[in-house]
Amino acid sequence: MKRKTAILIIASASVLCGCSYNELPPKTDDATTDYILPAGTIPTAEETAIVSALREEYENAIE
């Protein structure tokens, strides 16, 4: 009976202590902090007019 109890205690301790979860990914030495931002494009006059018309329509709709 003592042997079964000891085995049960050891098994339950291993189950309780063996389950750990780390939410953060492991750190690496080759991580960089120098990021290259993509070059933006300047919208054409036609695209600017479309955005202005949409913005005006929106502003009129919420009044």
Side-chain angles (χ1 to χ4, degrees), residues 41-57:
T41 57
I42 298 174
T44 63
E46 183 179 314
E47 292 171 338
T48 306
I50 292 171
V51 170
S52 296
L54 291 172
R55 183 174 289 132
E56 183 180 336
E57 180 183 347

Side-chain angles (χ1 to χ4, degrees), residues 2-62:
K2 289 182 181 182
R3 185 174 180 177
K4 288 183 181 180
T5 306
I7 291 174
L8 180 64
I9 290 173
I10 292 172
S12 61
S14 350
V15 168
L16 292 176
C17 296
C19 299
S20 65
Y21 174 72
N22 189 1
E23 293 182 8
L24 300 176
K27 292 184 179 180
T28 58
D29 292 335
D30 62 347
T32 182
T33 57
D34 299 327
Y35 299 108
I36 300 172
L37 295 176
T41 57
I42 298 174
T44 63
E46 183 179 314
E47 292 171 338
T48 306
I50 292 171
V51 170
S52 296
L54 291 172
R55 183 174 289 132
E56 183 180 336
E57 180 183 347
Y58 173 76
E59 291 293 330
N60 291 335
I62 62 171

